[in-house]
Amino acid sequence: MSSRAFDSPSGVQSTSSANCATRSLSLVHAAKLGYRGEFKREFSLLETVAFAFSIMNVIGGVSSTLSFGLASGGHVGMVWGWFIPCLFVNCIAASMAELASSMPTSAGLYYFSAKLAPARYAALASWITGWANVTGQVTLVCSIDYTVAQMITTAVAVNTNGAVILGAAPTYGILLGILFAHGVMCSAATKVLARINLFYGLIIAGAPIAAIVALFVSSRGSGATTKDAFAQYENHTGWKNDGWAFLLSFAAPMWALTGYDSAAHISEEVSGAARVAPIAILVSVAAVAIMGWILNIAASFATASVPALLSTDLALPMGQLFLDVVGKRGMLAIWSFIIIAQFLCGAAQAIDASRVIFAFARDNALPGSRLWKRVNKYTQTPVNAVWLVIGLSALCGLLGFSATAFSSLAGASVIGLYTSYATPIFLRITSGRGKLVPGPFSLGRWFMPTGIIAVAWVVFIVILLCFPSSQTTNAGEMNYAPVIVLAVFAFAGCSWVFSGRKWFTGPLPNIAIDAAGAPSNSKVA
């Protein structure tokens, strides 16, 4: 890492003056990238970290995906199936942080691709990255909110002692209600959203700590031994090859560790974005990786029987684990906080997705872009883009009538998002090696090995997530993730061939830039 990482100016000045100066520099930086300030810069460093951390909600991510590790390795799948991918995800996060520091704009990943690709292919690289990111963002909103609905149905089943087991239709109805609530919340002004994120962060950080303590303390003497908790392997996937079955457990952390690009997408609402965005990416990913691993270890120690958890009638095995360990009242108390944390996670992700839609529409890359790029004059937020995200998520939610609904949605979001993460990183280590102007955070000479590891890992994980969870499958149990992604890419590809290549040139500046690269006739305040 370069010694210049996170350099700060010397001198002492009042907090108010410093904030004003930082906002002014942020506006100038955005103008040099080709964009005028359309949002108020209300997010501070702490609020930006909380925002990225909230989207990767630890307790919600582990609770929703525990079945992946349980089936694909048992105790080994839970503990080491989480730990191994986290090492590679940190390389991706570091590469992304460097790009976000250099080019802090809401356009984010597809802007990075356009600037790092050869001039001849800049528009195509931007188009591919943008559509991949939009796909991942929308399916991630849907998958998060779908798990909230599953958590609610789990709580209902436990509270009624199994007398009420809600099926696919009621679950979809709950999903629609959650999406509507998030649409209302995410239409608020930036200042409101920034302050709420601190509350998000506290809840989402506190819930896993409470869960870890409860699992460790309450399972003493009744759970797994230390040896079994770390080393007992079980294959319940239907795949005959144990090594392959274990690899499928990687889906859990890969889904949980998505959305950290949010720090880049809200950078036009962040004061001092070139410094704040990379810090938020690095800190949030490291925190979620570590806390998630400890939570999985606690769950492994508390698990007396893997087959028993997998055979539960509850929508999520984590709910059964809490019921077994802390009893009905304790489970419902902890589960209530988990539901709140996951609900807030969905709200944060909906904000992120709407900013991606807004930025892509601002460059006229989406059907109906004129509508989706409008900024509400009262809230100064892209309200239309928010409701487009909600509508598309509701449509994706129809997969809830499939037996593999969550795994398909999770797989689609990971494939879409990580494809959009890897594309600019790949361009950074190939055609863009000499193009990047380092920001306050730079990897220095380590950008090449870090980038190679990041891209290789994404290629591997995308291939992995296209496979079904069992060696034999049918229409009701197949993995629909590649179907969703290929459908979007087919639409985007046809749009490019028949239309987009004729007019789409990549990110469009909405401010005049003079020959020296400085904004002309732009107000900085």
Side-chain angles (χ1 to χ4, degrees):
M1 187 180 297
S2 171
S3 61
R4 58 171 285 147
F6 303 127
D7 287 342
S8 59
S10 59
V12 179
Q13 54 184 211
S14 69
T15 301
S16 177
S17 298
N19 288 341
C20 288
T22 302
R23 288 191 179 95
S24 296
L25 288 172
S26 297
L27 289 170
V28 170
H29 199 161
K32 287 183 178 180
L33 294 174
Y35 296 111
R36 67 174 179 267
E38 297 188 78
F39 303 121
K40 290 185 177 180
R41 293 185 178 268
E42 300 284 3
F43 278 82
S44 65
L45 170 60
L46 183 60
E47 289 160 349
T48 307
V49 172
F51 182 73
F53 182 76
S54 298
I55 289 178
M56 295 184 288
N57 176 21
V58 182
I59 188 66
V62 173
S63 297
S64 303
T65 61
L66 187 69
S67 59
F68 295 177
L70 285 169
S72 303
H75 296 277
V76 170
M78 281 190 282
V79 176
W80 302 112
W82 180 279
F83 178 81
I84 294 172
C86 288
L87 300 176
F88 296 97
V89 171
N90 274 282
C91 290
I92 300 169
S95 295
M96 187 188 296
E98 181 182 50
L99 297 177
S101 182
S102 173
M103 298 172 277
T105 168
S106 291
L109 300 162
Y110 80 87
Y111 185 97
F112 304 160
S113 291
K115 299 304 178 184
L116 296 173
R120 181 180 177 184
Y121 300 107
L124 178 58
S126 180
W127 184 271
I128 293 171
T129 306
W131 276 102
N133 197 242
V134 166
T135 303
Q137 292 287 344
V138 172
T139 50
L140 185 57
V141 171
C142 183
S143 59
I144 292 172
D145 284 3
Y146 183 76
T147 61
V148 179
Q150 285 187 311
M151 289 175 180
I152 292 173
T153 63
T154 297
V156 170
V158 170
N159 191 52
T160 60
N161 297 315
V164 178
I165 303 293
L166 298 176
T171 302
Y172 182 67
I174 296 171
L175 169 64
L176 293 180
I178 294 167
L179 286 169
F180 179 79
H182 283 159
V184 174
M185 292 173 64
C186 297
S187 297
T190 299
K191 186 174 184 178
V192 175
L193 296 174
R195 302 301 176 265
I196 289 176
N197 266 288
L198 286 177
F199 173 70
Y200 288 4
L202 290 173
I203 293 292
I204 290 172
I209 294 173
I212 290 167
V213 172
L215 290 172
F216 271 129
V217 173
S218 301
S219 65
R220 245 181 229 177
S222 61
T225 63
T226 301
K227 181 180 178 181
D228 287 346
F230 285 97
Q232 184 172 318
Y233 180 86
E234 300 178 40
N235 181 0
H236 299 280
T237 62
W239 285 95
K240 294 179 181 179
N241 187 295
D242 287 343
W244 178 259
F246 170 67
L247 293 179
L248 294 176
S249 68
F250 291 176
M254 292 309 299
W255 180 74
L257 289 164
T258 51
Y260 47 90
D261 55 317
S262 58
H265 297 145
I266 64 166
S267 58
E268 291 181 39
E269 300 168 72
V270 174
S271 182
R275 174 177 172 272
V276 170
I279 293 176
I281 291 170
L282 295 170
V283 171
S284 60
V285 169
V288 171
I290 294 169
M291 292 182 72
W293 192 46
I294 296 172
L295 180 55
N296 271 284
I297 291 173
S300 184
F301 271 100
T303 301
S305 171
V306 171
L309 279 186
L310 288 172
S311 62
T312 180
D313 290 330
L314 300 180
L316 297 172
M318 190 67 158
Q320 184 65 54
L321 181 61
F322 280 117
L323 184 61
D324 294 342
V325 173
V326 297
K328 179 180 175 179
R329 288 187 177 180
M331 179 271 176
L332 290 174
I334 294 174
W335 205 246
S336 297
F337 281 102
I338 294 176
I339 291 174
I340 293 171
Q342 190 72 339
F343 178 82
L344 296 175
C345 169
Q349 174 55 32
I351 295 170
D352 184 26
S354 69
R355 298 321 189 250
V356 172
I357 293 288
F358 163 79
F360 211 33
R362 182 170 60 182
D363 295 318
N364 299 319
L366 293 175
S369 288
R370 185 176 180 181
L371 180 63
W372 314 127
K373 66 182 178 182
R374 289 180 184 171
V375 175
N376 186 278
K377 63 180 180 180
Y378 298 107
T379 64
Q380 289 193 297
T381 54
V383 173
N384 291 352
V386 168
W387 288 102
L388 177 61
V389 169
I390 299 304
L392 292 174
S393 297
L395 187 62
C396 290
L398 291 172
L399 271 176
F401 292 93
S402 161
T404 57
F406 174 63
S407 60
S408 296
L409 288 168
S413 62
V414 172
I415 292 171
L417 286 172
Y418 275 91
T419 298
S420 69
Y421 295 174
T423 303
I425 296 173
F426 173 75
L427 294 171
R428 165 74 171 116
I429 61 176
T430 53
S431 61
R433 278 178 292 181
K435 293 183 178 181
L436 190 77
V437 178
F441 173 79
S442 173
L443 291 173
R445 61 190 176 89
W446 293 102
F447 85 91
M448 182 62 77
T450 304
I452 291 173
I453 293 171
V455 173
W457 176 254
V458 172
V459 171
F460 164 71
I461 211 69
V462 166
I463 295 173
L464 179 71
L465 292 177
C466 288
F467 283 82
S469 57
S470 178
Q471 206 158 350
T472 57
T473 189
N474 54 52
E477 297 179 352
M478 72 172 283
N479 179 8
Y480 285 93
V483 177
I484 297 171
V485 175
L486 285 175
V488 176
F489 273 44
F491 173 79
C494 289
S495 298
W496 174 261
V497 171
F498 294 109
S499 176
R501 65 187 178 87
K502 300 174 184 178
W503 51 265
F504 183 72
T505 58
L508 295 173
N510 61 10
I511 193 171
I513 306 293
D514 64 23
S520 61
N521 298 322
S522 60
K523 294 181 179 180
V524 176

